[in-house]
Amino acid sequence: MKQGLIGVSLAALALTGCATTGGNEKDDGERIRIASDPFPSTYQRYGGTPVVITGVTILDGEGGRINNGQVYLADGKIQAVGQTVAAPAGAQVIDGTGKYVTPGIIDVHSHLGDYPSPGVEAHEDGNEATGPARPEVWAEHSVWPQDPGFSRALANGGVTSLQILPGSANLFGGRSVTLKNVPARTMQGMKFPGAPYGLKMACGENPKRVYGDKGGPSTRMGNIAVTRQTWINAKAYKRKWDAYERDGGDAPEQDLAMDTLKGVLEGKILVHNHCYRADEMANMVDLSKEAGYKITAFHHAVESYKIADILAREGICSAMWADWYGFKMEAYDAIRENIPFVDRAGACAIVHSDDANGIQRLNQEAAKAMAAGRRAGLQITEEYAWRWLGMNPAKALGIFDQTGSLKAGKNADVVLWNGNPFSTYTRPERVWVDGALMYDANNPRMRPVSDFELGQPGEGDVK
């Protein structure tokens, strides 16, 4: 439930208009082009060896299951999945008897790095709470790669990719960034290559509470009014740049905030909207149609079950908790069946964390939601429920072509669990990211430790 984002340097001159990787440039016609990605990923996958896991129960992340199956990983990719696979001589063979293999878990809503551990005021870099509309800030410029939370999410939770969002203090909190969960010296070294940016928006209690005594908005109608006006301004900004691209002349004055919103209107930046109540989600759907953008996912969304048919019709995902509720009024009317009911209506259901501890147990959160659905009479299999942690969050982040399921040719983001991952007694035994073994419970040397932890009590602790 963090809220918003911290500032960004003026070097972030990023209007999503052309796919360059540097700063502002001129094309052959002498028109100014503004880089869509001035801070490109420098991620390089770690080295790995060919691996075959045998005798294992496979949940493929798309709803498929193979009992007593095999998975072959090599060259950073999933090479084959099936009852038996062809692998070269010399590949490492791991006996998975009694164990499960799944895609690496993807958390669509995290604040690791922006609200890192230790949780002290000096580390609170997720909310630029200086104005209700701050789309110019980018979450990636607050990410602290040394946050011990990243390794805990990997080793305890099997999380291989995650979206870092600004918080929800603001109506427009800023841009999100999707990361590979690997150790790196810089944010760019973790940045998921090719993943679209997101825009964090918020509605409801948080913005009106934060700005109620700061000049507003102080009501829900005020929230909508400010949001609408901001989109009106963004559309005007886009028209100016469109005219410049078409006709030339003097380039419009650049505005970092409007650059982000222009990218949304062009369909290049995905909207992730913090919203709890069904009526407010419906309002935001109407507003998005008026402004001309699409909402990718509502986050938290504890009342999604009330409008699941609308969400299914509009193609909007809901990223939800299994059973968090009651910590504020807009979270009061939650039900444990929210995730399975949304799913059964044909909408996109996702299990998310929004918490440095919860991200270590998303498999258990999915288990609770599955159990609630079964008690309500829904026939939900384990393999189907894993879609909430694999395929669906990958789709919501625009990375399903690369990860989120165990299919040949996809990135080898894989977790070998030491038992059934829907059990509270089960933990990750091994975790691979792009085919590189990043964690091995059987090898103390394969427990990632951040620089911040070196020499401190509890270094590398994964209890």
Side-chain angles (χ1 to χ4, degrees), residues 22 72 173 197 210 266:
Y72 170 35
Y197 282 108
V210 172
E266 292 173 339

Side-chain angles (χ1 to χ4, degrees), residues 38-205:
F39 312 105
S41 171
T42 59
Y43 168 77
Q44 296 290 326
R45 71 178 179 90
Y46 284 75
T49 59
V51 172
V52 180
I53 309 170
T54 65
V56 71
T57 300
I58 300 168
L59 309 182
D60 72 5
E62 296 184 22
R65 180 188 186 110
I66 301 174
N67 294 319
N68 193 29
Q70 299 182 356
V71 183
Y72 170 35
L73 319 176
D75 300 323
K77 301 292 184 181
I78 298 168
Q79 300 295 329
V81 178
Q83 207 71 59
T84 59
V85 299
Q92 179 188 9
V93 177
I94 298 173
D95 182 4
T97 302
K99 302 171 184 178
Y100 280 62
V101 163
T102 70
I105 290 176
I106 300 170
D107 190 1
V108 75
H109 190 119
S110 177
H111 300 289
L112 293 183
D114 283 2
Y115 283 101
S117 301
V120 297
E121 185 176 358
H123 278 170
E124 293 180 358
D125 289 324
N127 273 309
E128 184 56 36
T130 53
R134 299 303 305 267
E136 71 272 26
V137 301
W138 298 28
E140 65 192 61
H141 294 123
S142 284
V143 169
W144 184 44
Q146 294 183 42
D147 182 1
F150 288 119
S151 62
R152 301 305 189 271
L154 179 83
N156 294 335
V159 174
T160 55
S161 301
L162 63 167
Q163 178 177 221
I164 309 302
L165 291 152
S168 53
N170 299 339
L171 298 170
F172 295 83
R175 292 201 197 195
S176 68
V177 63
T178 299
L179 303 178
K180 298 268 194 178
N181 195 10
V182 297
R185 293 181 298 169
T186 68
M187 167 277 300
Q188 287 171 274
M190 302 175 73
K191 199 170 182 178
F192 197 116
Y197 282 108
L199 169 65
K200 174 68 175 293
M201 295 181 65
C203 57
E205 290 185 27

Side-chain angles (χ1 to χ4, degrees), residues 369-431:
M370 179 178 67
R374 287 176 173 178
R375 287 193 297 270
L378 302 181
Q379 301 302 312
I380 306 172
T381 63
E382 294 174 345
E383 55 268 29
Y384 187 87
W386 205 267
R387 292 157 50 106
W388 305 337
L389 300 170
M391 178 178 75
N392 290 354
K395 286 184 173 181
L397 295 179
I399 57 175
F400 185 56
D401 60 328
Q402 300 181 66
T403 190
S405 66
L406 300 178
K407 297 295 182 180
K410 287 199 170 186
N411 296 344
D413 300 334
V414 177
V415 182
L416 173 64
W417 303 85
N418 63 11
N420 187 318
F422 292 101
S423 168
T424 57
Y425 298 104
T426 295
R427 294 175 55 85
E429 181 176 300
R430 291 179 173 91
V431 182

Side-chain angles (χ1 to χ4, degrees), residues 108 271-274 294-299 315-319 350 396:
V108 75
V271 172
H272 295 271
N273 203 146
H274 163 115
K294 176 174 171 47
I295 299 169
T296 295
F298 285 117
H299 289 231
I316 299 173
C317 293
S318 291
I350 297 169

Side-chain angles (χ1 to χ4, degrees), residues 226-353:
V226 173
T227 302
R228 292 181 70 200
Q229 186 61 57
T230 303
W231 284 115
I232 289 169
N233 297 343
K235 288 192 289 185
Y237 182 79
K238 181 178 181 298
R239 285 194 297 270
K240 291 179 182 178
W241 276 93
D242 288 348
Y244 171 71
E245 291 286 337
R246 182 181 64 247
D247 304 327
D250 293 334
E253 183 175 350
Q254 189 184 359
D255 184 310
L256 289 177
M258 295 296 106
D259 287 350
T260 291
L261 301 186
K262 179 177 182 293
V264 172
L265 294 172
E266 292 173 339
K268 298 175 181 177
I269 296 177
L270 308 178
V271 172
H272 295 271
N273 203 146
H274 163 115
C275 222
Y276 284 72
R277 285 183 1 190
D279 60 311
E280 290 195 273
M281 286 185 268
N283 286 340
M284 295 306 294
V285 170
D286 290 342
L287 190 155
S288 71
K289 292 180 178 180
E290 177 191 41
Y293 68 92
K294 176 174 171 47
I295 299 169
T296 295
F298 285 117
H299 289 231
H300 311 332
V302 299
E303 292 186 13
S304 280
Y305 66 95
K306 297 182 179 182
I307 55 167
D309 58 327
I310 296 175
L311 299 174
R313 184 186 69 221
E314 299 295 333
I316 299 173
C317 293
S318 291
M320 299 165 280
W321 299 293
D323 54 8
W324 283 21
Y325 83 104
F327 43 86
K328 54 182 174 177
M329 278 306 302
E330 64 185 4
Y332 185 78
D333 205 10
I335 61 172
R336 295 180 187 273
E337 300 82 7
N338 194 25
I339 292 169
F341 281 5
V342 167
D343 183 279
R344 186 49 55 100
C348 166
I350 297 169
V351 178
H352 76 341
S353 78

